[in-house]
Protein backbone atom coordinates (compact mmCIF):
# COMPACT_ATOMS: atom_id res chain seq x y z
CA UNK A 1 0.00 0.00 0.00
CA UNK A 2 1.26 3.48 -0.92
CA UNK A 3 2.24 5.38 2.25
CA UNK A 4 3.85 8.55 0.87
CA UNK A 5 1.56 11.61 0.80
CA UNK A 6 -0.28 11.51 -2.51
CA UNK A 7 -3.56 12.65 -4.03
CA UNK A 8 -5.23 10.89 -6.93
CA UNK A 9 -8.28 12.63 -8.36
CA UNK A 10 -10.38 9.92 -9.98
CA UNK A 11 -13.43 10.11 -12.23
CA UNK A 12 -16.14 7.65 -11.21
CA UNK A 13 -18.17 7.90 -14.41
CA UNK A 14 -21.84 8.86 -14.84
CA UNK A 15 -23.45 6.38 -12.43
CA UNK A 16 -23.42 2.92 -13.99
CA UNK A 17 -20.71 1.10 -11.99
CA UNK A 18 -19.51 -0.61 -15.17
CA UNK A 19 -18.66 2.76 -16.72
CA UNK A 20 -15.50 3.22 -14.69
CA UNK A 21 -12.07 2.80 -16.21
CA UNK A 22 -9.67 -0.01 -15.36
CA UNK A 23 -7.10 2.59 -14.29
CA UNK A 24 -9.63 4.09 -11.87
CA UNK A 25 -10.31 0.66 -10.36
CA UNK A 26 -6.60 -0.01 -9.91
CA UNK A 27 -6.14 3.39 -8.27
CA UNK A 28 -8.96 2.67 -5.81
CA UNK A 29 -7.30 -0.65 -4.95
CA UNK A 30 -4.15 1.27 -4.00
CA UNK A 31 -5.90 3.87 -1.82
CA UNK A 32 -5.53 4.35 1.92
CA UNK A 33 -8.39 6.85 2.13
CA UNK A 34 -11.23 7.56 -0.31
CA UNK A 35 -13.01 10.92 -0.13
CA UNK A 36 -16.13 10.50 -2.25
CA UNK A 37 -18.93 12.69 -3.57
CA UNK A 38 -22.70 12.27 -3.42
CA UNK A 39 -23.16 11.39 -7.09
CA UNK A 40 -20.79 8.43 -7.26
CA UNK A 41 -22.17 4.89 -7.26
CA UNK A 42 -21.43 3.46 -3.80
CA UNK A 43 -20.69 0.05 -5.35
CA UNK A 44 -17.40 1.51 -6.55
CA UNK A 45 -16.18 1.73 -2.96
CA UNK A 46 -16.01 -2.07 -2.98
CA UNK A 47 -12.87 -1.70 -5.09
CA UNK A 48 -11.17 -0.15 -2.05
CA UNK A 49 -12.09 -2.43 0.89
CA UNK A 50 -8.76 -1.70 2.56
CA UNK A 51 -9.31 2.07 2.60
CA UNK A 52 -11.25 4.36 4.90
CA UNK A 53 -14.28 5.75 3.08
CA UNK A 54 -15.26 9.34 3.91
CA UNK A 55 -18.31 11.05 2.41
CA UNK A 56 -17.67 14.70 1.57
CA UNK A 57 -20.53 15.35 -0.85
CA UNK A 58 -23.65 17.43 -0.55
CA UNK A 59 -27.03 15.83 0.12
CA UNK A 60 -30.18 17.27 1.67
CA UNK A 61 -30.06 16.72 5.41
CA UNK A 62 -26.34 15.89 5.41
CA UNK A 63 -23.37 17.95 6.52
CA UNK A 64 -21.86 19.82 3.61
CA UNK A 65 -18.13 20.26 3.35
CA UNK A 66 -16.98 23.46 1.68
CA UNK A 67 -14.28 23.21 -0.97
CA UNK A 68 -11.76 24.71 1.45
CA UNK A 69 -12.63 22.03 4.03
CA UNK A 70 -12.25 19.28 1.43
CA UNK A 71 -8.86 20.66 0.40
CA UNK A 72 -7.74 20.60 4.02
CA UNK A 73 -9.01 17.02 4.47
CA UNK A 74 -7.05 15.90 1.42
CA UNK A 75 -3.79 17.25 2.82
CA UNK A 76 -4.53 16.04 6.36
CA UNK A 77 -5.24 12.45 5.37
CA UNK A 78 -2.44 12.31 2.81
CA UNK A 79 0.11 13.32 5.45
CA UNK A 80 -1.37 10.97 8.06
CA UNK A 81 -2.29 7.95 5.92
CA UNK A 82 -0.54 8.19 2.55
CA UNK A 83 -2.53 7.75 -0.65
CA UNK A 84 -5.80 9.70 -0.78
CA UNK A 85 -8.22 9.10 -3.66
CA UNK A 86 -10.68 11.86 -4.35
CA UNK A 87 -13.52 10.03 -6.12
CA UNK A 88 -15.72 12.36 -8.14
CA UNK A 89 -18.71 11.76 -10.38
CA UNK A 90 -18.24 11.83 -14.15
CA UNK A 91 -14.92 13.34 -15.14
CA UNK A 92 -13.21 15.38 -12.40
CA UNK A 93 -12.06 18.08 -14.80
CA UNK A 94 -15.52 18.82 -16.23
CA UNK A 95 -17.25 21.06 -13.68
CA UNK A 96 -15.81 18.84 -10.96
CA UNK A 97 -13.30 21.25 -9.40
CA UNK A 98 -10.70 18.53 -9.71
CA UNK A 99 -8.07 20.92 -11.00
CA UNK A 100 -8.53 23.13 -7.92
CA UNK A 101 -7.88 20.18 -5.64
CA UNK A 102 -4.80 19.18 -7.64
CA UNK A 103 -3.45 22.73 -7.48
CA UNK A 104 -4.00 22.92 -3.72
CA UNK A 105 -2.38 19.53 -3.08
CA UNK A 106 0.65 20.44 -5.18
CA UNK A 107 1.02 23.75 -3.36
CA UNK A 108 1.25 21.74 -0.12
CA UNK A 109 3.95 19.44 -1.52
CA UNK A 110 1.82 16.38 -2.29
CA UNK A 111 2.45 14.11 -5.24
CA UNK A 112 -0.61 14.16 -7.50
CA UNK A 113 -2.24 12.14 -10.26
CA UNK A 114 -5.42 12.41 -12.32
CA UNK A 115 -7.53 9.55 -13.68
CA UNK A 116 -10.07 10.78 -16.20
CA UNK A 117 -13.63 9.52 -16.02
CA UNK A 118 -16.46 8.93 -18.47
CA UNK A 119 -18.31 12.23 -18.45
CA UNK A 120 -22.07 12.19 -17.96
CA UNK A 121 -22.42 14.94 -20.56
CA UNK A 122 -21.66 12.39 -23.28
CA UNK A 123 -22.46 9.01 -21.71
CA UNK A 124 -25.96 9.81 -20.45
CA UNK A 125 -27.33 11.03 -23.80
CA UNK A 126 -25.63 8.10 -25.56
CA UNK A 127 -27.23 5.60 -23.18
CA UNK A 128 -30.60 7.12 -24.08
CA UNK A 129 -29.93 6.76 -27.80
CA UNK A 130 -29.07 10.41 -28.41
CA UNK A 131 -25.96 11.09 -30.52
CA UNK A 132 -24.58 14.53 -29.66
CA UNK A 133 -23.25 14.85 -33.19
CA UNK A 134 -24.55 13.29 -36.39
CA UNK A 135 -23.73 13.99 -40.01
CA UNK A 136 -26.36 16.27 -41.48
CA UNK A 137 -27.90 17.03 -38.09
CA UNK A 138 -25.28 18.50 -35.73
CA UNK A 139 -21.65 19.34 -36.37
CA UNK A 140 -20.68 20.20 -32.79
CA UNK A 141 -21.85 20.36 -29.20
CA UNK A 142 -21.56 22.66 -26.21
CA UNK A 143 -21.28 21.43 -22.63
CA UNK A 144 -22.29 24.22 -20.26
CA UNK A 145 -22.77 24.50 -16.53
CA UNK A 146 -26.27 25.62 -15.63
CA UNK A 147 -25.12 27.36 -12.47
CA UNK A 148 -21.95 29.41 -12.13
CA UNK A 149 -20.04 30.15 -8.93
CA UNK A 150 -22.22 33.27 -8.62
CA UNK A 151 -25.28 30.97 -8.65
CA UNK A 152 -26.37 32.46 -11.97
CA UNK A 153 -27.05 30.86 -15.33
CA UNK A 154 -23.96 30.85 -17.53
CA UNK A 155 -23.92 33.56 -20.20
CA UNK A 156 -22.69 30.88 -22.60
CA UNK A 157 -26.26 29.54 -22.77
CA UNK A 158 -27.27 32.71 -24.62
CA UNK A 159 -24.44 32.23 -27.11
CA UNK A 160 -25.24 28.54 -27.55
CA UNK A 161 -28.90 29.28 -28.21
CA UNK A 162 -27.83 31.24 -31.31
CA UNK A 163 -25.82 28.33 -32.73
CA UNK A 164 -26.83 25.14 -34.54
CA UNK A 165 -24.84 23.03 -32.09
CA UNK A 166 -26.27 20.48 -29.67
CA UNK A 167 -26.37 22.03 -26.20
CA UNK A 168 -25.81 19.92 -23.09
CA UNK A 169 -26.45 21.67 -19.79
CA UNK A 170 -25.32 20.19 -16.49
CA UNK A 171 -26.67 21.36 -13.14
CA UNK A 172 -29.34 23.39 -14.91
CA UNK A 173 -32.67 22.14 -13.59
CA UNK A 174 -32.99 25.06 -11.20
CA UNK A 175 -32.52 27.42 -14.14
CA UNK A 176 -34.79 25.60 -16.62
CA UNK A 177 -37.27 28.48 -16.91
CA UNK A 178 -34.45 30.90 -17.74
CA UNK A 179 -33.07 28.46 -20.31
CA UNK A 180 -36.49 28.17 -21.96
CA UNK A 181 -36.83 31.95 -22.06
CA UNK A 182 -33.45 32.38 -23.74
CA UNK A 183 -34.08 29.78 -26.44
CA UNK A 184 -37.59 31.18 -27.00
CA UNK A 185 -36.15 34.68 -27.36
CA UNK A 186 -34.09 33.45 -30.31
CA UNK A 187 -37.07 31.74 -31.95
CA UNK A 188 -36.11 28.22 -30.87
CA UNK A 189 -39.49 27.19 -29.39
CA UNK A 190 -39.69 24.07 -31.58
CA UNK A 191 -36.20 22.83 -30.71
CA UNK A 192 -36.30 19.28 -29.25
CA UNK A 193 -35.27 18.82 -25.63
CA UNK A 194 -34.43 15.78 -23.52
CA UNK A 195 -34.10 15.80 -19.75
CA UNK A 196 -32.51 12.72 -18.22
CA UNK A 197 -32.41 12.30 -14.45
CA UNK A 198 -30.02 9.83 -12.77
CA UNK A 199 -28.78 8.75 -16.18
CA UNK A 200 -27.23 5.26 -16.64
CA UNK A 201 -28.52 4.13 -13.24
CA UNK A 202 -31.43 1.91 -12.18
CA UNK A 203 -33.22 5.09 -11.03
CA UNK A 204 -33.09 6.78 -14.42
CA UNK A 205 -36.08 8.89 -15.44
CA UNK A 206 -36.47 10.97 -18.57
CA UNK A 207 -38.78 13.34 -20.37
CA UNK A 208 -38.83 14.54 -23.96
CA UNK A 209 -40.45 17.57 -25.54
CA UNK A 210 -39.65 20.90 -27.12
CA UNK A 211 -38.56 24.23 -25.71
CA UNK A 212 -42.17 25.43 -25.72
CA UNK A 213 -43.49 22.57 -23.56
CA UNK A 214 -40.54 21.00 -21.73
CA UNK A 215 -41.46 22.64 -18.42
CA UNK A 216 -44.85 20.92 -18.55
CA UNK A 217 -43.10 17.62 -19.29
CA UNK A 218 -40.88 18.11 -16.23
CA UNK A 219 -43.92 18.66 -14.00
CA UNK A 220 -45.78 15.70 -15.46
CA UNK A 221 -42.80 13.35 -15.16
CA UNK A 222 -41.75 14.83 -11.78
CA UNK A 223 -38.18 15.27 -12.95
CA UNK A 224 -35.58 16.95 -10.75
CA UNK A 225 -31.85 17.12 -10.11
CA UNK A 226 -29.46 15.51 -10.77
CA UNK A 227 -30.39 15.68 -14.44
CA UNK A 228 -28.86 16.53 -17.78
CA UNK A 229 -30.59 18.80 -20.29
CA UNK A 230 -29.97 18.08 -23.98
CA UNK A 231 -31.20 20.64 -26.52
CA UNK A 232 -31.00 20.16 -30.27
CA UNK A 233 -32.28 18.27 -33.28
CA UNK A 234 -30.24 15.20 -32.30
CA UNK A 235 -32.87 14.50 -29.64
CA UNK A 236 -35.18 13.49 -32.52
CA UNK A 237 -32.69 10.77 -33.45
CA UNK A 238 -33.54 8.82 -30.31
CA UNK A 239 -36.77 7.20 -31.59
CA UNK A 240 -34.94 6.17 -34.77
CA UNK A 241 -32.18 4.51 -32.77
CA UNK A 242 -34.66 2.88 -30.43
CA UNK A 243 -36.53 1.44 -33.41
CA UNK A 244 -33.21 0.18 -34.82
CA UNK A 245 -32.27 -1.46 -31.52
CA UNK A 246 -35.67 -3.14 -31.30
CA UNK A 247 -35.48 -4.44 -34.89
CA UNK A 248 -32.03 -5.91 -34.24
CA UNK A 249 -33.29 -7.62 -31.07
CA UNK A 250 -36.28 -9.09 -32.93
CA UNK A 251 -34.06 -10.28 -35.77
CA UNK A 252 -31.69 -11.98 -33.33
CA UNK A 253 -34.59 -13.64 -31.55
CA UNK A 254 -35.86 -14.92 -34.89
CA UNK A 255 -32.44 -16.23 -35.97
CA UNK A 256 -31.90 -17.94 -32.61
CA UNK A 257 -35.37 -19.49 -32.51
CA UNK A 258 -35.19 -23.32 -32.52
CA UNK A 259 -38.21 -23.59 -34.80
CA UNK A 260 -38.66 -21.34 -37.84
CA UNK A 261 -41.23 -21.86 -40.56
Amino acid sequence: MYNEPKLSVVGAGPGDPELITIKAVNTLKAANVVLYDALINRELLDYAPQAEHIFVGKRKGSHYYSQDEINDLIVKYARERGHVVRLKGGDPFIFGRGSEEIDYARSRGLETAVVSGVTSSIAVPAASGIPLTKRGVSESFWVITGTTTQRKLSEDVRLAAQSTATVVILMGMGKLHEIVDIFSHFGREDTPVAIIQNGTTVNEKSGFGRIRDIEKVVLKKKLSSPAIIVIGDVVNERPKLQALFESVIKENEYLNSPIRS
Side-chain angles (χ1 to χ4, degrees):
M1 196 173 278
Y2 192 97
N3 291 317
E4 294 299 318
K6 178 180 179 180
L7 167 66
S8 293
V9 177
V10 176
D16 182 341
E18 293 184 343
L19 290 176
I20 189 171
T21 66
I22 294 173
K23 187 168 186 176
V25 169
N26 289 336
T27 303
L28 283 168
K29 290 178 179 178
N32 300 96
V33 177
V34 178
L35 304 177
Y36 65 96
D37 279 345
L39 294 181
I40 69 110
N41 191 309
R42 302 297 176 88
E43 292 180 29
L44 299 179
L45 297 175
D46 293 341
Y47 289 119
Q50 77 294 337
E52 182 178 358
H53 304 157
I54 302 171
F55 174 71
V56 294
K58 184 178 182 180
R59 270 288 185 257
K60 188 175 182 180
S62 300
H63 177 66
Y64 170 50
Y65 287 91
S66 69
Q67 188 61 53
D68 288 341
E69 289 175 322
I70 292 171
N71 290 343
D72 289 339
L73 286 175
I74 288 170
V75 174
K76 173 182 182 295
Y77 283 110
R79 288 174 175 170
E80 292 178 357
R81 304 284 299 280
H83 188 193
V84 172
V85 165
R86 181 74 174 94
L87 189 61
K88 306 171 77 70
D91 181 277
F93 276 15
I94 299 181
F95 307 129
R97 306 188 75 169
S99 62
E100 296 176 35
E101 294 170 355
I102 288 289
D103 290 344
Y104 187 85
R106 286 175 177 169
S107 73
R108 298 304 188 273
L110 270 61
E111 180 184 346
T112 61
V114 179
V115 180
S116 297
V118 177
T119 172
S120 58
S121 59
I122 295 174
V124 169
S128 295
I130 300 172
L132 296 188
T133 63
K134 185 176 181 180
R135 187 167 54 178
V137 181
S138 176
E139 299 174 354
S140 61
F141 63 92
W142 294 56
V143 180
I144 306 172
T145 178
T147 307
T148 66
T149 53
Q150 290 78 35
R151 314 308 297 173
K152 296 180 180 180
L153 182 67
S154 171
E155 285 296 319
D156 286 349
V157 174
R158 183 173 294 276
L159 297 174
Q162 300 174 66
S163 77
T164 59
T166 303
V167 181
V168 181
I169 302 176
L170 309 182
M171 300 173 287
M173 289 299 285
K175 300 288 193 296
L176 181 60
H177 185 71
E178 292 180 58
I179 294 166
V180 167
D181 280 350
I182 289 171
F183 275 80
S184 298
H185 174 76
F186 291 105
R188 304 285 301 278
E189 295 92 341
D190 289 331
T191 305
V193 183
I195 294 183
I196 308 162
Q197 177 183 336
N198 294 317
T200 77
T201 74
V202 295
N203 299 316
E204 180 175 317
K205 295 170 61 179
S206 58
F208 301 87
R210 295 182 182 276
I211 286 293
R212 64 171 179 263
D213 62 9
I214 193 62
E215 290 181 278
K216 294 179 180 177
V217 172
V218 167
L219 289 174
K220 182 179 179 180
K221 297 279 189 175
K222 298 180 179 179
L223 300 173
S224 61
S225 299
I228 287 178
I229 303 168
V230 184
I231 304 172
D233 289 336
V234 292
V235 173
N236 282 339
E237 300 300 310
R238 179 181 178 273
K240 299 174 187 178
L241 284 179
Q242 291 296 97
L244 176 61
F245 293 155
E246 290 170 5
S247 67
V248 170
I249 291 171
K250 289 179 180 179
E251 181 178 356
N252 288 339
E253 289 175 347
Y254 172 76
L255 293 174
N256 293 325
S257 175
I259 301 175
R260 299 200 305 270
S261 58

